[in-house]
Amino acid sequence: MAVVVVESPAKARTINKYLGSDYTVLASYGHVRDLPPKDGSVDPEHDFAMKWQVASDSRKHVRAIAEALKSDDTLILATDPDREGEAISWHLKEALASSLKSGKKVQRVTFNAITRSAVSEAMSRPREVDQALVEAYLARRALDYLVGFNLSPVLWRKLPGARSAGRVQSVCLRLIVERELEIESFRPREYWTVTALLATPRGQEYQARLTVLGGRKLDKFGIANQTAAEMAVQAITSRQLAVLSVEAKPGNRNPSPPFMTSTLQQEASRKFGMGAKATMSAAQRLYEAGYITYMRTDGIDMAPEAVMAARAEIARRFGEDYVPSSPRMYKNKAKNAQEAHECIRPTDMSLSPDRLKLADDQRKLYDLIWKRTIASQMAAARLERTTVDVGSADGEVVLRATGQVVTFDGFLKVYEEGRDDVLGEEDGEDGRLPQIVAGEPAEKRGITPEQHFTQPPPRYTEATLVKRMEELGIGRPSTYASIVTTIQERDYVRKEKNRLIPEDKGRLVTAFLTNFFRRYVEYDFTADLENELDEISAGELHYKDVLARFWRDFSAAIAETADLRIGEVLEKIDAFLAPHLYPPREDGSDPRICPVCGKGRLSLKTARSGGAFIGCSNYPECRYTRALGAANGEDPAAAERLLGEDGGEPIWLKSGRFGPYVQRGEASEDNPKPPRASLPKGWEPEAMDLERALMLLALPREIGPHPEDGETVEAGIGRYGPYVRHGRVYANLPEVDEVFTVGMNRAVELLAEKASRGRGGRAAQTPLRELGEHPEGGPVQVMNGRYGPYVKWQKINATLPRGVTPEAVTLAEALELISQKAQKAGGRKAPAKKAAAGSGAKKTGAKEAGARKKTSGAGKDGD
């Protein structure tokens, strides 16, 4: 008998089907050890000794494996085929050392797909744990720890509100901040195009764009303004036009290679709006179910048997015309030795998406992977591109019409890759031109000048950010998702309409690091360090040599900041961001002079919350502030607007550090804090008027005495949104506008409902699903809770793991979750489900809760 250990219960279930009763398959539930999050876990003074600790929630899994080894002679480590998988195997071997002393064997096996053939072949070819790959992991983990635990405290002390800094996350944040600065400093440039609607002698119409004027070829800015455009229109109008040339060229368009991690994340973002984390979560479940190959890879090559299977499926589905004469072979450009190397593809090419019953996100992703893989081995699309030049006899005016038609769709029958925003890219003509003959006249049926302005570079999406990181050599397939997720979770970046926008904290952190730790946020430095990690995994460098070189310079840089004062830090950051914080004013006046008092100077300040804002040096006499984001080229005074007067007092709309607000009167010595009210979510500053401002300033609004005790019931807007209040009982209102209209009956109903709720404020709920009876009696239900769906039996509530939906969870899985929760709580143990037919109880050590391998926690580089 042998004990096989994998990362997750789902993977264990799939493998268990293939191995049979001769093996006990258990799950480690991801990493079992990590560095304790405290000083001293990596000790540079003692040859970078690392102190590992078994995680509290992993102890029971390690014990289960150790218990199984008492009666089994062999431990087979079958974790994932990349650096992280190798690290988990190494940690398991170390954590189980006491159980492996008495002549027991330890073997390492890897497979790129969880299929019967792949698993069987891997089991027949065991090896040792790859120490070079482990050392690459140790180096990465130590580097991330040394940066995080030494640089983050500097941020906390010198930059109030900053949360942390990381080796790779800070470089990724810099990309986003610098793109935002590009956008803010961008000045649009005007240009014009002129298009003519022409017709052949047979009356067939087509459009052509002016390309030559005055005998000179036009560039993008060749027609700079409306006057020039009108002159161009006149030049065309005053001349007879004829077809100068017609050129038709055949062309081919080849398919994209199959997916690797970065391109899968990019395409899922483009086509479905899925974030990197969501994409990898869905891919993980597809892999563990045996539907796709391993999903963390930098490779685009495909196994020869998979290539032949794809070609056979193409011929079966679409015919021999769609199969190229020879297989398409894609060359992997990456040098990285830390990741798995085959592309992401279906394990069975004949298993089309319509034959699988999957959750929605998995279905969409599998459909994408299947189509991309099949298309990658299909024949090229054949196109015909036609270019027609139409001009005047004197050569002063030439217009060009272009058209394109697909003569054979090839791979386009199945799949076409999405596109990112491309700065300055014009949409080309796409379609067939009518029959046009050289020398024939062209009738003018309309001439249209059109004004354009250059556009700023687009903000990054998760897809384009991952693409840029890959281009720069920052991060690796196993780290992209966690890096992008980390900077959002730490409030350095927010996502709006799928675009990544830096928050004030993120700007400040980037400015601080660029000023005081510039080398460590340089793209080349980070990429070079990644290359050194690759060399470690290839056995070409010793990991402690890399750590020693890094620590020597990094510790010196940390020491240099010891005497920095917060005021000095703010001054440097203020100077660094000055071109964007204080853009030139139209009247030429000093952009640093306060627009309200005219005496104080504007400078960068930080609030206790960590937010940044621009404030007046004449405080407290002048309380002018504006948000950091308001400084993108507009006059700061434009942030204020007089809405009108009420009782002789002005009512202002202003913009402060926390966003737009309305204010009654002016600040003065007698009244340093005049009444103010922030604009609630959904209320746009542009739509504010005097009436709405007075409504806000009048809050909280008294509704009347409560019918039971006569105490006042009022409505207002608080930290958590609109509410009604009676004494110490608050009840939420669904809409902001209801604050101004809610009556006593509705308020009493809401308050009574809130007061009737039990402990924790939860009302009795209707189950989402009834799963059946528990073996000890009583229903097992799926409920919807504050923190997501959970299963319930009697007084035991067990949260559904990520990836397990209320619709998909089974009674067996629910019983297992309830059993685990009961044991963890130390209460009555709920009996486990009965073993399925043909499966011994011993092999169910891998829990059936569907928990995933941890991909964004400890051990995954995202810092």
Side-chain angles (χ1 to χ4, degrees):
M1 293 283 285
V3 177
V4 180
V5 182
V6 296
E7 295 93 335
S8 72
K11 186 175 176 181
R13 282 198 300 271
T14 307
I15 290 173
N16 203 34
K17 292 186 299 185
Y18 304 142
L19 294 182
S21 58
D22 291 339
Y23 296 88
T24 300
V25 185
L26 301 176
S28 71
Y29 288 74
H31 277 273
V32 296
R33 299 198 309 173
D34 197 12
L35 297 170
K38 60 184 180 183
D39 288 337
S41 293
V42 177
D43 188 356
E45 302 302 319
H46 293 86
D47 201 24
F48 297 96
M50 302 172 78
K51 298 176 182 177
W52 300 99
Q53 184 180 74
V54 176
S56 58
D57 58 350
S58 296
R59 288 172 190 157
K60 59 184 176 183
H61 307 308
V62 174
R63 281 197 301 268
I65 299 168
E67 190 66 28
L69 284 170
K70 288 180 180 179
S71 56
D72 294 334
D73 298 327
T74 304
L75 173 64
I76 300 176
L77 301 168
T79 50
D80 289 340
D82 62 355
R83 184 196 67 240
E84 287 300 311
E86 208 70 24
I88 292 172
S89 286
W90 175 77
H91 278 302
L92 284 165
K93 184 179 175 182
E94 294 289 310
L96 293 164
S98 60
S99 300
L100 298 170
K101 288 180 178 178
S102 55
K104 297 187 185 293
K105 293 190 297 184
V106 180
Q107 298 176 341
R108 172 80 168 109
V109 300
T110 58
F111 32 81
N112 196 48
I114 306 177
T115 61
R116 187 178 300 277
S117 59
V119 171
S120 298
E121 182 181 352
M123 299 297 283
S124 68
R125 300 172 62 184
R127 60 170 174 82
E128 296 290 321
V129 172
D130 187 331
Q131 194 58 33
L133 213 51
V134 171
E135 289 184 357
Y137 159 79
L138 294 174
R140 181 183 292 274
R141 199 69 192 86
L143 286 168
D144 293 340
Y145 174 91
L146 291 171
V147 172
F149 274 82
N150 289 279
L151 185 52
S152 293
V154 175
L155 279 176
W156 300 335
R157 291 192 300 267
K158 310 299 182 183
L159 199 63
R163 295 187 63 181
S164 67
R167 184 177 62 83
V168 181
Q169 84 178 40
S170 299
V171 183
C172 179
L173 176 61
R174 180 187 167 194
L175 279 171
I176 297 170
V177 170
E178 288 187 344
R179 175 56 58 89
E180 196 69 17
L181 293 176
E182 283 183 69
I183 293 169
E184 291 175 352
S185 62
F186 179 81
R187 298 293 177 266
R189 183 175 175 184
E190 180 184 11
Y191 68 99
W192 289 68
T193 57
V194 177
T195 304
L197 179 63
L198 306 176
T200 68
R202 295 162 294 285
Q204 296 168 304
E205 294 182 337
Y206 58 97
Q207 288 193 331
R209 178 177 289 186
L210 182 65
T211 57
V212 174
L213 181 63
R216 180 177 59 85
K217 186 176 180 179
L218 295 173
D219 60 19
K220 183 173 183 175
F221 302 102
I223 304 176
N225 51 46
Q226 184 174 359
T227 301
E230 290 171 351
M231 291 175 64
V233 170
Q234 181 59 36
I236 299 171
T237 304
S238 63
R239 288 172 170 79
Q240 296 296 317
L241 302 179
V243 178
L244 302 177
S245 64
V246 178
E247 184 178 20
K249 286 184 178 180
N252 288 335
R253 183 174 166 192
N254 290 313
S256 300
F259 284 127
M260 56 182 175
T261 301
S262 60
T263 52
L264 176 64
Q265 291 174 1
Q266 292 163 32
E267 194 73 339
S269 176
R270 294 183 194 113
K271 293 197 170 178
F272 309 131
M274 291 175 68
K277 185 176 180 180
T279 299
M280 296 312 292
S281 174
Q284 177 97 30
R285 296 196 296 276
L286 290 172
Y287 165 68
E288 290 173 342
Y291 294 135
I292 65 171
T293 54
Y294 192 57
M295 65 287 163
R296 294 184 187 89
T297 174
D298 57 10
I300 54 174
D301 56 315
M302 196 186 305
E305 62 271 19
V307 171
M308 301 314 295
R311 288 169 62 84
E313 187 65 16
I314 293 164
R316 187 182 72 81
R317 286 178 175 269
F318 308 111
E320 293 293 340
D321 288 346
Y322 286 86
V323 183
S325 57
S326 60
R328 294 187 179 277
M329 306 305 292
Y330 295 97
K331 186 177 179 181
N332 187 23
K333 297 178 182 178
K335 299 181 295 181
N336 180 21
Q338 300 181 62
E339 314 292 347
H341 288 302
E342 196 187 355
C343 66
I344 303 169
R345 61 169 176 83
T347 54
D348 182 353
M349 298 296 177
S350 66
L351 196 59
S352 56
D354 56 290
R355 292 175 54 193
L356 295 176
K357 291 183 178 180
L358 298 168
D360 185 57
D361 58 343
Q362 296 176 57
R363 179 189 55 76
K364 290 191 293 188
L365 202 66
Y366 182 81
D367 181 72
L368 196 65
I369 294 167
W370 185 85
K371 287 179 177 176
R372 173 89 164 217
T373 306
I374 292 293
S376 72
Q377 289 299 324
M378 292 179 72
R382 294 195 288 274
L383 315 169
E384 184 178 84
R385 299 184 178 96
T386 304
T387 302
V388 177
D389 283 340
V390 179
S392 59
D394 58 6
E396 290 291 298
V397 170
V398 177
L399 299 96
R400 174 165 289 184
T402 58
Q404 176 176 289
V405 64
V406 177
T407 57
F408 173 69
D409 54 3
F411 75 92
L412 294 174
K413 193 174 191 73
V414 175
Y415 175 85
E416 184 168 10
E417 187 174 35
R419 293 173 58 191
D420 296 317
D421 296 329
V422 180
L423 183 61
E425 185 172 300
E426 301 286 348
D427 291 335
E429 297 293 334
D430 187 19
R432 186 186 296 273
L433 290 172
Q435 183 181 1
I436 302 172
V437 180
E440 69 182 12
E443 177 190 350
K444 298 187 289 286
R445 291 190 173 180
I447 302 171
T448 306
E450 187 174 357
Q451 184 184 37
H452 308 271
F453 290 93
T454 54
Q455 297 298 308
R459 289 186 173 109
Y460 285 112
T461 62
E462 288 194 10
T464 55
L465 181 63
V466 167
K467 183 177 181 180
R468 184 61 179 145
M469 290 167 63
E470 185 182 36
E471 291 169 351
L472 292 170
I474 299 169
R476 288 296 183 256
S478 60
T479 66
Y480 294 137
S482 58
I483 292 168
V484 174
T485 301
T486 296
I487 58 175
Q488 294 178 66
E489 288 178 345
R490 292 180 179 170
D491 296 326
Y492 289 160
V493 171
R494 70 180 186 277
K495 188 157 73 170
E496 287 185 6
K497 298 180 180 178
N498 215 29
R499 302 284 170 170
L500 299 172
I501 304 170
E503 297 283 15
D504 291 351
K505 289 180 185 178
R507 291 173 182 262
L508 292 177
V509 168
T510 295
F512 176 81
L513 295 176
T514 303
N515 271 279
F516 299 103
F517 293 90
R518 186 170 188 84
R519 183 185 182 197
Y520 301 96
V521 289
E522 289 287 356
Y523 305 131
D524 289 346
F525 176 81
T526 307
D528 289 344
L529 200 52
E530 291 286 356
N531 290 333
E532 289 188 343
L533 293 173
D534 292 344
E535 291 176 26
I536 293 170
S537 64
E540 297 169 3
L541 280 178
H542 193 276
Y543 81 101
K544 289 187 178 178
D545 293 339
V546 173
L547 291 176
R549 285 197 301 272
F550 176 85
W551 179 247
R552 181 192 62 210
D553 298 334
F554 183 67
S555 58
I558 292 286
E560 288 175 3
T561 65
D563 297 328
L564 277 177
R565 293 177 294 103
I566 292 178
E568 183 183 352
V569 170
L570 286 180
E571 284 176 15
K572 282 213 169 189
I573 295 176
D574 192 51
F576 179 80
L577 296 175
H580 309 286
L581 298 179
Y582 316 106
R585 293 178 179 170
E586 291 184 4
D587 61 4
S589 62
D590 186 349
R592 289 252 191 185
I593 295 296
C594 176
V596 174
C597 70
K599 297 176 182 177
R601 290 187 64 79
L602 302 180
S603 62
L604 181 66
K605 302 181 184 298
T606 57
R608 292 177 186 173
S609 64
F613 64 98
I614 306 300
C616 178
S617 62
N618 204 22
Y619 178 89
E621 288 76 13
C622 177
R623 292 179 173 268
Y624 172 78
T625 61
R626 62 174 164 84
L628 209 64
N632 48 1
E634 298 179 4
D635 184 346
E640 295 193 2
R641 178 158 60 95
L642 181 64
L643 299 176
E645 290 191 0
D646 179 60
E649 292 184 300
I651 305 298
W652 292 95
L653 171 66
K654 293 174 176 278
S655 181
R657 71 181 93 165
F658 303 115
Y661 63 93
V662 291
Q663 174 178 303
R664 177 185 290 276
E666 300 282 7
S668 64
E669 282 190 30
D670 297 333
N671 186 23
K673 293 185 177 181
R676 294 176 176 176
S678 295
L679 268 60
K681 188 175 181 180
W683 284 34
E684 297 298 329
E686 297 79 11
M688 285 300 295
D689 55 23
L690 180 62
E691 181 182 358
R692 289 164 71 86
L694 293 175
M695 289 166 61
L696 285 177
L697 291 166
L699 294 178
R701 167 180 159 256
E702 185 176 315
I703 299 173
H706 195 283
E708 292 182 2
D709 59 11
E711 189 173 353
T712 300
V713 176
E714 63 182 27
I717 301 173
R719 183 179 180 184
Y720 302 108
Y723 65 85
V724 288
R725 182 180 72 85
H726 172 234
R728 298 180 65 182
V729 178
Y730 288 78
N732 293 331
L733 290 169
E735 300 292 339
V736 169
D737 289 348
E738 200 170 350
V739 170
F740 308 105
T741 59
V742 63
M744 183 59 72
N745 290 340
R746 167 74 168 151
V748 168
E749 177 187 344
L750 289 169
L751 291 163
E753 181 184 337
K754 181 64 180 286
S756 68
R757 293 179 179 176
R759 185 179 177 184
R762 295 186 181 182
Q765 294 185 21
T766 302
L768 297 177
R769 286 179 63 204
E770 295 279 358
L771 296 178
E773 284 290 309
H774 193 282
E776 291 189 7
V780 178
Q781 302 168 323
V782 184
M783 312 293 288
N784 191 27
R786 180 180 180 186
Y787 301 107
Y790 63 95
V791 290
K792 178 180 178 64
W793 174 65
Q794 295 183 359
K795 294 183 179 181
I796 300 175
N797 298 334
T799 303
L800 292 184
R802 290 184 183 180
V804 180
T805 62
E807 297 78 19
V809 67
T810 65
L811 177 60
E813 290 173 332
L815 291 174
E816 194 70 40
L817 288 169
I818 290 167
S819 177
Q820 291 177 35
K821 186 62 179 283
Q823 291 179 52
K824 192 172 183 180
R828 179 174 46 167
K829 180 179 177 181
K833 70 177 186 68
K834 295 178 181 178
S839 175
K842 194 173 189 181
K843 291 180 290 180
T844 61
K847 304 292 191 260
E848 306 228 2
R852 304 178 298 115
K853 171 184 174 183
K854 300 171 187 174
T855 58
S856 58
K860 293 291 184 183
D861 170 57
D863 296 340

